[in-house]
């Protein structure tokens, strides 16, 4: 065998390689017990048995030995909100009240580039600490929030998809754009960021209730002018939301019809939640190759309902699995997968470990239309990698004492794992998080924070706007 065709700056990771590429449910992942992943120029150049590959590495290749840990593609999170890192865990409300009471006031601060910049650093740190290397991200309606997020993602050379939220009604004035300004700002941001490094712009109407028919019309025009761009929005999350959409758009057959009317249902359109879909809506998502994004921790936390994975899959729609920070309560895709398992269990459905990890990697990449670039450990794929420790805590170590198969180990990681299991995260072949060296992100300052020591403190009353 000849030397591998790679230039000087080659890094290789040795470990237990696993890549989830099943075609049908129940297919096995690709697993190499003593494997080597060779990376150069930001992509994987070889993946296979360490014994075979080590002998043929170019001189000077740095080999990082992560044995006995698992090495897999970095997690992909196809729905989260960058300005909601300080909204997570806001008490006691369903969607519409939660938006009005907590989320909109918080997002109103993000016209300040310093606030947006600090949050972007925190978010990206936290994603990498959780093993997530790609996400579909809602910023706020302020273009500076998108600048802040993309600048930070570019600094770490991440493949990220993000957009400016468009919303021109039913929200506080500080968050509103107009049909024209939302369109113009989106165009300017596409020109500034789309295709820079690994960044991709997503057309982002927040959801039907916060856009006028004129704004949806302008959004449809944007979508037509940019047919390859992602679109991200919310769909059918909560009964009150659905009733409000029916009131605002009395002509519509159902919620999805509002988006259909404006040409927003297509491939690479990511619809967050999709809990209470009609048969018609499911069928249209499937026919158009759109993606339904399952956000279990959010759906449980906000009491929104249970995502019917089997029913949505039967329609042929793609399905993604996401954190939905900050309606969602964890940045960890492991914890998200664990909650997905429980949501499905409540409906008599199952989620085998291989399926869950497939969803979190290649499946989510496919749901985002990025299945040719990320989500697999294979030559030519971008070298985004997470290294996982299934014995990260005493409880996991003890449970692992009874595990004999890879499926069992992965299921322990899924049900008991979180950021503590993330040993290292690599993006484009460069280590961007290392559990050993991590001394924690700086806590954001909030001098006006109410003191929890105060007698009689009521989070619902005392933090209301
Ligand atoms: N629907 C519209 N906006 C939001 C949001 O920020 N979070 C969730 N969970 N649902 C939404
Ligand atoms: Zn959302």
């Amino acid at each position: 065998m000849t030397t591998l065709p790679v230039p000087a700056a080659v890094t290789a990771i040795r470990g237990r390689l696993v890549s989830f590429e099943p075609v049908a449910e129940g297919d096995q992942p690709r697993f190499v017990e003593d494997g080597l992943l060779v990376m150069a120029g930001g992509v994987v150049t070889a993946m296979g048995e360490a014994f075979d590959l080590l002998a043929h590495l170019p001189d000077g290749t740095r080999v990082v030995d992560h044995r006995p840990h698992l090495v897999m593609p970095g997690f992909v999170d196809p729905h989260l909100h960058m300005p909601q890192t300080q909204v997570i865990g806001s008490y006691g409300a369903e969607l519409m009240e939660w938006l009005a009471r907590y989320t909109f006031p918080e997002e109103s601060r993000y016209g300040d580039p310093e606030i947006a910049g600090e949050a972007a650093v925190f978010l990206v740190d936290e994603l990498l600490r959780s093993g997530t290397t790609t996400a579909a991200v809602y910023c706020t309606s302020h273009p500076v929030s998108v600048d802040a997020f993309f600048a930070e993602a570019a600094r770490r050379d991440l493949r990220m998809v993000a957009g400016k939220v468009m919303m021109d009604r039913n929200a506080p004035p500080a968050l509103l754009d107009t049909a024209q300004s939302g369109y113009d700002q989106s165009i300017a941001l596409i020109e500034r960021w789309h295709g820079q490094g690994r960044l991709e712009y997503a057309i982002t109407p927040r959801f039907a209730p916060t856009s006028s028919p004129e704004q949806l019309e302008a959004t449809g025009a944007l979508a037509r002018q940019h047919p390859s761009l992602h679109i991200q929005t919310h769909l059918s999350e909560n009964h009150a939301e659905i009733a409000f959409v029916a009131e605002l758009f009395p002509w519509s057959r159902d919620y999805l019809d509002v988006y259909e009317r404006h040409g927003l249902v297509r491939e690479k359109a990511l619809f967050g939640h999709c809990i209470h879909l009609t048969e018609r809506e499911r069928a249209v998502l499937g026919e158009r190759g759109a993606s339904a994004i399952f956000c279990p921790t959010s759906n449980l936390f906000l009491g929104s309902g249970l995502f019917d994975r089997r029913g949505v899959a039967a329609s042929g729609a793609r399905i993604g699995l996401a954190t939905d920070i900050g309606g969602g309560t964890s940045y960890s895709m492991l914890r998200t997968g664990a909650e997905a398992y429980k949501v499905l269990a409540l409906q008599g459905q199952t989620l085998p470990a291989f399926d869950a990890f497939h969803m979190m990697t290649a499946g989510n990449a496919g749901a985002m239309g990025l299945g040719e670039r990320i989500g697999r450990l294979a030559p030519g794929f971008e070298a985004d990698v997470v290294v996982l420790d299934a014995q990260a805590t005493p409880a996991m170590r003890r449970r692992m004492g009874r595990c004999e198969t890879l499926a069992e180990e992965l299921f322990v990681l899924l049900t008991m794992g979180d950021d503590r299991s993330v040993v290292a995260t690599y993006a484009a072949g460069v280590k961007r998080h290392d559990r050993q060296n991590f001394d924690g992100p700086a806590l954001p300052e909030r001098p006006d924070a109410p003191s929890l020591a105060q007698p009689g403190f009521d989070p619902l009353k005392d933090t209301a706007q």
Side-chain angles (χ1 to χ4, degrees):
M1 209 201 283
T2 51
T3 303
L4 293 166
V6 280
V10 180
T11 312
I13 296 175
R14 189 167 182 179
R16 298 167 60 229
L17 308 186
V18 56
S19 184
F20 304 88
E21 304 151 24
V23 178
E25 198 166 321
D27 284 0
Q28 300 290 307
R30 172 135 199 243
F31 179 57
V32 189
E33 175 68 39
D34 183 6
L36 198 73
L37 185 76
V38 187
M39 312 178 292
V43 298
V44 173
T45 54
M47 184 273 199
E49 296 286 346
F51 181 82
D52 296 336
L53 293 172
L54 280 170
H56 303 285
L57 289 175
D59 286 347
T61 299
R62 201 166 61 88
V63 179
V64 185
D65 194 345
H66 280 300
R67 288 176 298 170
H69 299 313
L70 289 166
V71 175
M72 65 173 74
F75 296 136
V76 178
D77 183 349
H79 185 122
L80 67 86
H81 296 260
M82 171 264 208
Q84 295 180 13
T85 59
Q86 291 181 290
V87 176
I88 303 172
S90 292
Y91 180 76
E94 279 200 12
L95 175 67
M96 301 307 273
E97 186 193 355
W98 175 85
L99 286 170
R101 183 183 279 256
Y102 302 114
T103 307
F104 288 163
E106 175 68 7
E107 293 196 6
S108 298
R109 303 165 63 233
Y110 279 71
D112 178 337
E114 255 185 59
I115 288 173
E118 183 272 337
V121 173
F122 178 86
L123 174 67
V124 172
D125 277 343
E126 197 62 15
L127 291 175
L128 292 169
R129 238 168 50 70
S130 304
T132 298
T133 46
T134 289
V137 177
Y138 290 66
C139 300
T140 64
S141 47
H142 314 98
V144 291
S145 70
V146 182
D147 291 335
F149 177 73
F150 273 146
E152 195 51 35
R155 213 164 63 78
R156 326 275 184 117
D157 197 8
L158 303 177
R159 180 158 293 286
M160 285 287 175
V161 176
K164 174 207 123 72
V165 156
M166 289 180 281
M167 49 199 297
D168 69 345
R169 63 170 168 173
N170 294 322
L175 282 181
L176 296 183
D177 52 17
T178 66
Q180 188 64 49
S181 69
Y183 174 89
D184 292 343
Q185 290 168 348
S186 299
I187 295 272
L189 289 164
I190 292 166
E191 284 168 5
R192 193 172 318 144
W193 292 109
H194 184 70
Q196 298 288 338
R198 300 208 285 158
L199 307 178
E200 301 185 39
Y201 191 82
I203 298 168
T204 311
R206 182 178 207 116
F207 68 156
T210 47
S211 285
S212 65
E214 295 71 35
Q215 178 157 76
L216 290 170
E217 197 60 43
T219 306
L222 257 181
R224 273 194 306 282
Q225 289 153 13
H226 296 278
S228 66
L229 250 52
H230 290 88
I231 298 170
Q232 54 182 354
T233 189
H234 298 84
L235 174 67
S236 204
E237 177 176 3
N238 166 291
H239 291 299
E241 170 207 21
I242 296 165
F244 194 29
V245 172
E247 204 179 293
L248 291 169
F249 303 92
W251 51 263
S252 61
R253 287 170 289 182
D254 47 43
Y255 195 157
L256 187 65
D257 202 19
V258 177
Y259 298 134
E260 257 177 284
R261 163 82 63 111
H262 296 98
L264 302 175
V265 187
R266 67 185 192 193
E267 280 183 23
K268 291 174 74 174
L270 314 176
F271 292 97
H273 306 294
C274 295
I275 298 171
H276 309 288
L277 298 178
T278 63
E279 277 308 315
R280 196 200 77 83
E281 290 175 299
R282 280 183 189 172
V284 172
L285 289 176
E287 280 157 23
R288 304 279 174 88
S291 299
I293 310 297
F294 174 19
C295 307
T297 72
S298 170
N299 300 161
L300 293 172
F301 183 72
L302 295 175
S304 302
L306 306 178
F307 180 86
D308 176 4
R309 177 171 178 246
R310 192 189 292 148
V312 175
S315 74
R318 294 162 186 259
I319 296 177
L321 173 68
T323 63
D324 187 29
I325 294 300
T329 50
S330 174
Y331 293 86
S332 168
M333 286 302 295
L334 294 171
R335 294 198 60 172
T336 302
E339 297 309 287
Y341 179 90
K342 296 172 197 169
V343 165
L344 297 173
L346 282 169
Q347 303 171 88
Q349 299 182 28
T350 54
L351 183 63
F354 291 160
D355 276 18
F357 279 87
H358 174 258
M359 283 182 99
M360 287 146 56
T361 58
N364 276 347
M368 288 181 67
L370 297 171
E372 304 293 310
R373 293 177 183 276
I374 58 168
R376 292 173 54 183
L377 301 183
F381 277 72
E382 295 172 10
D384 296 341
V385 175
V386 60
V387 182
L388 292 173
D389 175 5
Q391 306 198 31
T393 66
M396 292 175 82
R397 206 170 308 128
R398 182 166 172 79
R399 174 65 183 87
M400 280 291 292
R402 286 282 184 276
C403 286
E404 287 173 2
T405 65
L406 177 64
E408 287 171 344
E409 178 176 358
L410 288 171
F411 199 62
V412 166
L413 259 176
L414 187 76
T415 49
M416 301 178 78
D418 54 28
D419 50 292
R420 291 169 296 180
S421 285
V422 178
V423 175
T425 308
Y426 294 76
V430 175
K431 197 192 277 181
R432 296 289 179 184
H433 166 67
D434 186 329
R435 183 172 70 178
Q436 267 176 349
N437 302 332
F438 191 76
D439 45 18
L443 281 176
E445 275 175 37
R446 176 139 183 242
D448 58 328
S451 163
L452 295 180
Q454 229 171 277
F457 173 77
D458 175 345
L460 199 54
K461 267 202 228 114
D462 301 348
T463 56
Q465 340 132 29

